[in-house]
Amino acid sequence: MLVDSHCHLDRLDLSIHGGCLDTALDAARQRGVGHFLCIGVSAENTAAVKALAQRYEDVDCSVGVHPLDLEPGTEPALEWLLSELDAPGVVAIGETGLDYHYEPEAAALQQQSFRLHLEAARICGKPVIVHTRAARSDTLDLLREAALPQAGVLHCFTEDWDMAKAALDLGFYISLSGIVTFRNADALRYVARRIPADRLLVETDSPYLAPIPYRGKSNLPQYVREVAEFLADWRGVDFESLASQTTANFKRLFPQARINP
């Protein structure tokens, strides 16, 4: 059994499945994907991800505001986050974090929002899903400052081993996406081989970042199998072992997930 630990089910391109999300999820299930974590990225899509978690028994969701979805004066309120996090099916907070690649001028606003999400995570005890790009030092500084008692995850990891090691030392998990299969991802593959087996997750981040051989096409949850198969081969383990391990890791990190034994 596999888990797609990070997907955007409300944003999928469903054209190859006749526009039907049920069909897309069934296609993933037929490839051994037994659970999906649908990610919140804004106040506007919170209702959508919560509705999907209510509609499907094998879908849970998170609530949060992505750093690139922030605008001055619209940053989330702590009370709003805590209220939304208390809803059924919401098992994590995020995605949140820092992204200076596209919006370096918004660093202060992103840091303010990230701190607020981390405070909400500290209060509610749910794991935090962290997006980080071109903000290595500040991301680690804020995670150290927060000193969360529970683990979280750096999703769609693309940084170097030094950052991975620092995050692991803070108790975080590392999630890898289809990027690890890309031909120019040698540095990331170096990291992928060194992540401890009990801290590794797999994801699609669909509809983005489809793995080889689907690169350039819209990503789908069913393609998390390609990510897992690639990693199993790269790490020198059999696919069943990697699938079992990453699923166990997901259960440990997200204890409120309604995942079947």
Side-chain angles (χ1 to χ4, degrees), residues 137-258:
S137 178
D138 286 351
T139 297
L140 290 172
D141 285 349
L142 290 179
L143 290 178
R144 292 187 182 106
E145 175 187 293
L148 296 176
Q150 74 275 15
V153 58
L154 269 58
H155 103 91
C156 194
F157 192 80
T158 57
E159 301 289 345
D160 63 13
W161 172 246
D162 287 343
M163 183 173 189
K165 179 64 166 58
L168 291 165
D169 288 346
L170 289 170
F172 273 69
Y173 290 61
I174 304 293
S175 181
L176 297 176
S177 70
I179 292 176
V180 76
T181 72
F182 294 178
R183 293 182 182 88
N184 61 349
D186 289 341
L188 181 58
R189 282 189 283 273
Y190 174 79
V191 174
R193 188 168 275 161
R194 301 188 69 181
I195 299 169
D198 63 352
R199 297 286 195 87
L200 177 65
L201 297 179
V202 289
E203 65 172 270
T204 58
D205 203 11
S206 52
Y208 317 107
L209 305 171
I212 300 294
Y214 304 103
R215 187 176 184 184
K217 299 180 181 180
S218 186
N219 203 359
L220 290 163
Q222 68 200 60
Y223 300 152
V224 74
R225 185 169 184 115
E226 274 70 24
V227 179
E229 287 178 341
F230 180 93
L231 284 170
D233 181 68
W234 182 249
R235 289 168 65 92
V237 300
D238 61 83
F239 168 75
E240 290 75 15
S241 295
L242 187 132
S244 177
Q245 180 70 69
T246 54
T247 297
N249 296 346
F250 181 87
K251 291 180 183 179
R252 190 184 320 113
L253 177 59
F254 301 103
Q256 295 186 18
R258 301 165 300 173

Side-chain angles (χ1 to χ4, degrees), residues 6-7 10 14 40 49 52 63 73 108-109 111-112 130 157 161 176 204 229 234 236 253 259:
H6 193 109
C7 52
D10 58 319
L14 299 170
V49 298
L52 290 170
V63 169
L109 177 64
Q111 290 173 27
Q112 178 183 348
V130 177
F157 192 80
W161 172 246
L176 297 176
T204 58
E229 287 178 341
W234 182 249
L253 177 59
I259 187 167

